[in-house]
Amino acid sequence: MNKKVGIPRALFYYQYYPLWKVFFEELGAEVVLSDNTTKKIMDDGVKLTVDQACLPVKLFHGHVLNIKDKVDYLFIPRLTSVSKNEYICPKFGGLPDMVRNTIKDIPQIIDTEINLRKSDKKALEAVLEIGKFFTQDVRRIKNAYKKALENYYEFRNKVKGGTLPCDILDKKFNVIRKNSKRRLNIALIGHAYNIYDKYSSMNIIDKLKKNDIDIITIDMIDDGIINENAKHLNKQMFWNYGRKAIGGATYLIERGDIDGIICLMAFGCGIDSFVCDLIERKIRKNSKIPFIVLNIDEHSGEAGMNTRLEAFIDMIRWRNRDENNLPAYG
Ligand code: SF4
């Protein structure tokens, strides 16, 4: 019987699921995903974790609880770094331990460390270690990884072509366009697991789409462009996400066709608190693009989010309609 590997639909899922799904399936395993986030998953995560944990980490625990009894293994790699000379948030590195010490009766965790800070070659070492949970055939593991990478690059290319990762993962490509008003281009900046999770983001993507808005996220921007635009920083960013967010925002500010920028921040995220601040300073200094920071937390009342979002969109439309028509003398 095929071994079942559980992948929580949270955190790294939004960026790396296309890779790991193919990898495990090529090794003969069955991949089991947790359900879409619901109030119960959120509430379970909140109950299990300490108050100080950020919202996405709380949610991750809820997703683990959702699948732990349906699988033979839980895939929670110890992600330390996914790019040279950069780190990702240390909470990713601590995830396997947090889960192990918080949730009772869990299956074996595949917690191999993935640390590419010094070299990309470390990826293969990690992959071989993970693959050996299923087979000792090294060639088979390497072939599975090759196919997984092909699928991953296909996913990345679709995203760079303008399709939202959540639409690819949900297999929903057709966006209904009403064409009733001029479409706006709005950049939505935030961690993938915050902006693409419908429940925790309070469905911000669908709300924007329904308002005739085309959404651009930093995942759609080519890495070379991001790196070029992150060069203005006085020193290299410590965090992978920080470089992407600031490099991506700088590019979007200078592109000239962006009507507004939204930063979606998770309550309790230290990285977000200063990355959003740096982006705001850059916008205020170099442009007149309307900007708003929206905070998400475990409270589920949507009224506050809706009001702020509607006001932001209305303000952009009024400004485009009225201020653009003013003659130079006022
Ligand atoms: S980067 Fe922020 S939101 Fe993401 S896991 Fe770390 S603290 Fe949480």
Side-chain angles (χ1 to χ4, degrees):
M1 214 170 75
N2 291 355
K3 293 276 182 199
K4 291 185 180 173
V5 186
I7 299 186
R9 201 187 286 258
L11 293 179
F12 55 85
Y13 159 78
Y14 290 95
Q15 278 159 304
Y16 297 111
Y17 180 67
L19 182 121
W20 294 116
K21 176 181 163 53
V22 170
F23 179 69
F24 288 126
E25 285 180 352
E26 285 295 315
L27 294 179
E30 184 186 335
V31 174
V32 179
L33 256 184
S34 55
D35 298 333
N36 283 316
T37 306
T38 57
K39 184 169 183 334
K40 177 167 181 355
I41 290 179
M42 172 85 87
D43 289 348
D44 285 342
V46 170
K47 274 184 221 146
L48 284 166
T49 46
V50 291
D51 286 349
Q52 290 78 4
C54 62
L55 177 73
V57 164
K58 290 177 179 172
L59 212 48
F60 188 88
H61 283 72
H63 279 276
V64 169
L65 200 68
N66 181 260
I67 41 168
K68 77 174 180 71
D69 297 328
K70 303 173 194 163
V71 297
D72 302 297
Y73 297 108
L74 276 170
F75 182 54
I76 312 180
R78 199 179 290 282
L79 279 167
T80 305
S81 166
V82 291
S83 48
K84 205 164 179 198
N85 293 331
E86 285 174 341
Y87 286 97
I88 57 172
C89 173
K91 286 181 182 159
F92 277 79
L95 266 185
D97 300 321
M98 275 193 261
V99 168
R100 210 174 264 127
N101 289 295
T102 312
I103 303 177
K104 286 192 189 118
D105 303 324
I106 45 168
Q108 185 173 3
I109 297 180
I110 301 176
D111 64 351
T112 304
E113 186 186 20
I114 299 176
N115 185 351
L116 314 186
R117 189 180 70 84
K118 289 195 177 145
S119 163
D120 284 357
K121 290 188 186 126
K122 294 277 174 194
L124 186 59
E125 278 175 32
V127 159
L128 289 174
E129 190 180 319
I130 297 166
K132 283 184 180 163
F133 279 82
F134 304 91
T135 175
Q136 298 307 306
D137 183 343
V138 170
R139 188 185 293 175
R140 188 167 173 213
I141 300 173
K142 284 185 178 172
N143 280 339
Y145 183 47
K146 192 167 161 259
K147 290 213 174 125
L149 278 179
E150 282 165 13
N151 195 50
Y152 174 70
Y153 289 131
E154 197 183 313
F155 165 73
R156 287 292 304 137
N157 286 338
K158 277 186 195 151
V159 174
K160 282 183 194 163
T163 312
L164 289 160
C166 51
D167 287 346
I168 300 173
L169 296 167
D170 291 350
K171 299 201 174 36
K172 185 181 71 181
F173 294 95
N174 296 326
V175 179
I176 298 154
R177 294 172 185 265
K178 288 194 277 174
N179 282 330
S180 54
K181 302 172 191 156
R182 173 172 105 64
R183 296 190 71 79
L184 298 177
N185 281 328
I186 292 206
L188 182 58
I189 296 179
H191 295 279
Y193 41 85
N194 287 332
I195 59 180
Y196 304 130
D197 183 306
K198 284 190 181 195
Y199 187 87
S200 66
S201 72
M202 298 189 182
N203 225 346
I204 191 167
I205 286 189
D206 282 354
K207 283 180 179 143
L208 291 171
K209 282 181 181 171
K210 278 183 194 146
N211 274 286
D212 297 291
I213 285 167
D214 290 325
I215 303 157
I216 298 121
T217 67
I218 50 174
D219 302 305
M220 294 176 182
I221 306 170
D222 188 76
D223 289 340
I225 294 177
I226 287 184
N227 291 342
E228 199 49 44
N229 283 279
K231 278 188 184 158
H232 69 85
L233 292 163
N234 292 339
K235 57 183 272 209
Q236 189 189 348
M237 263 269 160
F238 190 70
W239 308 110
N240 169 278
Y241 168 72
R243 171 181 53 82
K244 286 188 172 172
I246 292 168
T250 305
Y251 163 71
L252 292 166
I253 293 164
E254 286 162 11
R255 223 168 83 154
D257 64 345
I258 300 296
D259 297 291
I261 298 182
I262 299 173
C263 247
L264 193 72
M265 260 177 74
F267 183 73
C269 175
I271 297 176
D272 269 357
S273 63
F274 74 84
V275 167
C276 279
D277 185 63
L278 282 174
I279 292 172
E280 181 167 7
R281 285 171 196 230
K282 182 92 192 144
I283 292 170
R284 306 263 182 250
K285 197 168 155 202
N286 300 78
S287 80
K288 292 198 165 107
I289 299 177
F291 172 77
I292 190 172
V293 177
L294 296 173
N295 266 289
I296 49 171
D297 61 18
E298 54 261 49
H299 301 118
S300 52
E302 284 191 41
M305 165 77 91
N306 290 348
T307 314
R308 297 191 70 203
L309 208 51
E310 279 166 23
F312 185 65
I313 297 165
D314 284 348
M315 182 269 300
I316 294 172
R317 290 205 185 278
W318 289 334
R319 201 164 120 160
N320 285 349
R321 189 188 64 208
D322 300 334
E323 290 183 21
N324 287 351
N325 289 332
L326 283 181
Y329 47 82

